[in-house]
Amino acid sequence: MSGKSLLLKVILLGDGGVGKSSLMNRYVTNKFDSQAFHTIGVEFLNRDLEVDGRFVTLQIWDTAGQERFKSLRTPFYRGADCCLLTFSVDDRQSFENLGNWQKEFIYYADVKDPEHFPFVVLGNKVDKEDRQVTTEEAQAWCMENGNYPYLETSAKDDTNVTVAFEEAVRQVLAVEEQLEHCMLGHTIDLNSGSKASSSCC
Ligand SMILES: Nc1nc2c(ncn2[C@@H]2O[C@H](COP(=O)(O)OP(=O)(O)OP(=O)(O)O)[C@@H](O)[C@H]2O)c(=O)[nH]1
């Protein structure tokens, strides 16, 4: 891949066992392990990709979802450009815990403007028959909690995995574009001598 690459850090959060490591491994190595072990602390993998003409190196951080590893994972939240809030569609509790994960991330990543931070929600394990969360419920949660994009994935079947990580990149680029637009607006206003507008920033 040629051209200057933008380094983006995305972080996978969600209850233990929802499939965070499996999603990362499917995306980066195209492998799936049906006997995956729980993560202890954090792990990360990189993958280069091109989205809408932009070259990106995606640094994907996979965190331990089990409560006992909280102190090992939270120091790694800072500097994340996007957070992938993950639950498993066959595990209702993991869906009900999404709000806790969102709050934990905002607090430990020290997000200054949570309203505009790019979250993407993933409902994983859609290959399973015994669903406990409907698509409509998950979409409603996303609408109510920040109008986040929602994708249903399967690390096992490789359903929507690439789409999910590309969506994360698109969300980050959209926020970046908005910021650039606002900064440009300020520059123009200042040059013309008028008071800078802060309507979008
Ligand atoms: N059927 C199915 N099983 C999956 C899928 N994704 C992961 N699994 C299985 O679910 C179990 C847990 O997957 P992990 O990827 O380790 O889950 P995790 O969220 O990283 O778990 P922690 O490391 O404890 O936070 C493993 O047995 C995986 O094989 C999926 O899309 N479909």
Side-chain angles (χ1 to χ4, degrees):
M1 193 176 283
S2 62
K4 199 167 172 255
S5 185
L6 181 70
L7 179 68
L8 295 183
K9 174 179 176 178
V10 300
I11 192 154
L12 284 151
L13 295 190
D15 281 9
V18 297
K20 300 178 297 297
S21 307
S22 301
L23 287 164
M24 177 178 76
N25 288 323
R26 169 60 82 188
Y27 183 60
V28 178
T29 66
N30 199 20
K31 287 189 180 132
F32 176 76
D33 178 2
S34 59
Q35 307 290 320
F37 290 109
H38 285 294
T39 306
I40 298 167
V42 296
E43 288 167 358
F44 78 86
L45 290 175
N46 284 352
R47 181 172 161 178
D48 293 331
L49 71 157
E50 189 186 341
V51 175
D52 305 335
R54 295 283 298 267
F55 296 105
V56 173
T57 297
L58 204 54
Q59 190 174 79
I60 304 164
W61 289 71
D62 166 36
T63 61
Q66 291 183 304
E67 184 56 27
R68 63 197 167 116
F69 297 128
K70 183 173 175 178
S71 62
L72 295 180
R73 67 175 177 255
T74 49
F76 296 91
Y77 294 5
R78 272 175 189 262
D81 296 294
C82 179
C83 178
L84 294 162
L85 294 172
T86 311
F87 71 98
S88 174
V89 297
D90 72 334
D91 175 1
R92 177 127 209 120
Q93 192 58 52
S94 71
F95 172 65
E96 286 172 3
N97 286 341
L98 282 181
N100 295 336
W101 286 107
Q102 181 194 28
K103 285 192 199 89
E104 181 177 297
F105 177 77
I106 289 168
Y107 180 78
Y108 286 100
D110 196 20
V111 176
K112 301 285 185 236
D113 184 10
E115 244 182 74
H116 295 105
F117 188 86
F119 286 96
V120 174
V121 177
L122 306 181
N124 190 40
K125 305 197 190 181
V126 278
D127 58 279
K128 293 191 104 174
E129 310 250 298
D130 48 341
R131 272 186 88 125
Q132 293 183 1
V133 183
T134 66
T135 305
E136 292 73 25
E137 286 177 280
Q139 284 170 337
W141 189 91
C142 291
M143 282 287 284
E144 283 160 25
N145 287 277
N147 204 12
Y148 305 142
Y150 173 61
L151 289 154
E152 300 204 322
T153 58
S154 166
K156 185 180 179 190
D157 289 357
D158 199 7
T159 303
N160 272 342
V161 177
T162 300
V163 175
F165 287 103
E166 288 183 355
E167 180 60 29
V169 172
R170 283 203 177 87
Q171 291 297 315
V172 178
L173 294 180
V175 170
E176 203 182 75
E177 228 170 71
Q178 176 77 5
L179 275 173
E180 276 168 16
H181 174 76
C182 291
M183 282 164 70
L184 191 65
H186 279 267
T187 310
I188 291 164
D189 283 340
L190 289 170
N191 285 347
S192 67
S194 61
K195 210 174 166 192
S197 153
S198 60
S199 58
C200 64
C201 308

